[in-house]
């Protein structure tokens, strides 16, 4: 069951959000969508086991996984390797993503789950 506060976007809405997050111009939408479809074929975001024909809804974890893979590709990582990093190392990447979004997280969430900014991840 999805919470009323959960983010639950269609692919079209997810593309719009990700383009803004990755600072991609609207004129590049077709190419951006093609990259996202490529990442989907490579397993990002990971399917939840509902079947290959089921429509995927995009929540925060899915958006973060796709955005992370896109940023890795912006750093000249080939799509297959970017997808592999996100799939195989998601548990190691998640703390960096959360620390980077600390200012945007609700105060109640931050109080329950304090995040330290002692480590950084740099992909260049």
């Amino acid at each position: 069951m999805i919470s009323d506060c959960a983010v639950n976007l269609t692919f079209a809405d997810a593309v719009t959000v990700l383009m803004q997050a990755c600072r991609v111009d609207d004129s590049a939408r077709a190419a951006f969508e093609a990259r996202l479809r490529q990442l989907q074929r490579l397993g990002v975001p990971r399917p939840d086991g509902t079947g290959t024909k089921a429509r995927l809804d995009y929540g925060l974890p899915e958006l973060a996984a796709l955005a992370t893979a896109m940023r890795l590709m912006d750093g000249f990582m080939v799509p297959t390797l970017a997808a592999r990093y996100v799939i195989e190392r998601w548990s190691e990447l998640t703390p960096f993503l959360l620390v980077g979004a600390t200012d945007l997280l609700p105060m109640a969430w931050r109080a329950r789950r304090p995040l330290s900014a002692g480590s950084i991840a740099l992909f260049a």
Side-chain angles (χ1 to χ4, degrees):
M1 181 162 86
I2 296 175
S3 164
D4 289 339
C5 296
V7 173
N8 189 24
L9 302 174
T10 63
F11 179 75
D13 291 336
V15 170
T16 301
V17 168
L18 288 168
M19 286 180 68
Q20 290 177 356
C22 294
R23 296 183 181 105
V24 175
D25 190 72
D26 288 339
S27 63
R29 186 176 181 99
F32 192 80
E33 282 186 21
R35 283 293 181 152
L36 290 177
R37 297 268 188 219
Q38 181 181 25
L39 288 171
Q40 286 179 322
R41 285 190 301 277
L42 293 170
V44 178
R46 297 185 81 172
D48 61 2
T50 57
T52 57
K53 299 293 183 192
R55 190 186 95 184
L56 178 62
D57 290 320
Y58 297 83
L60 291 177
E62 292 81 14
L63 293 173
L66 287 166
T68 301
M70 292 297 281
R71 299 310 287 174
L72 291 172
M73 291 174 3
D74 284 347
F76 303 104
M77 188 177 283
V78 295
T80 52
L81 188 56
R84 187 172 169 189
Y85 266 66
V86 169
I87 292 167
E88 294 180 7
R89 298 293 181 196
W90 188 244
S91 61
E92 287 91 356
L93 291 171
T94 303
F96 295 109
L97 299 172
L98 289 172
V99 168
T102 299
D103 295 340
L104 303 173
L105 296 171
M107 186 55 114
W109 196 91
R110 286 186 276 167
R112 289 191 314 264
R113 298 170 187 89
L115 298 168
S116 64
S119 299
I120 61 167
L122 177 64
F123 298 97

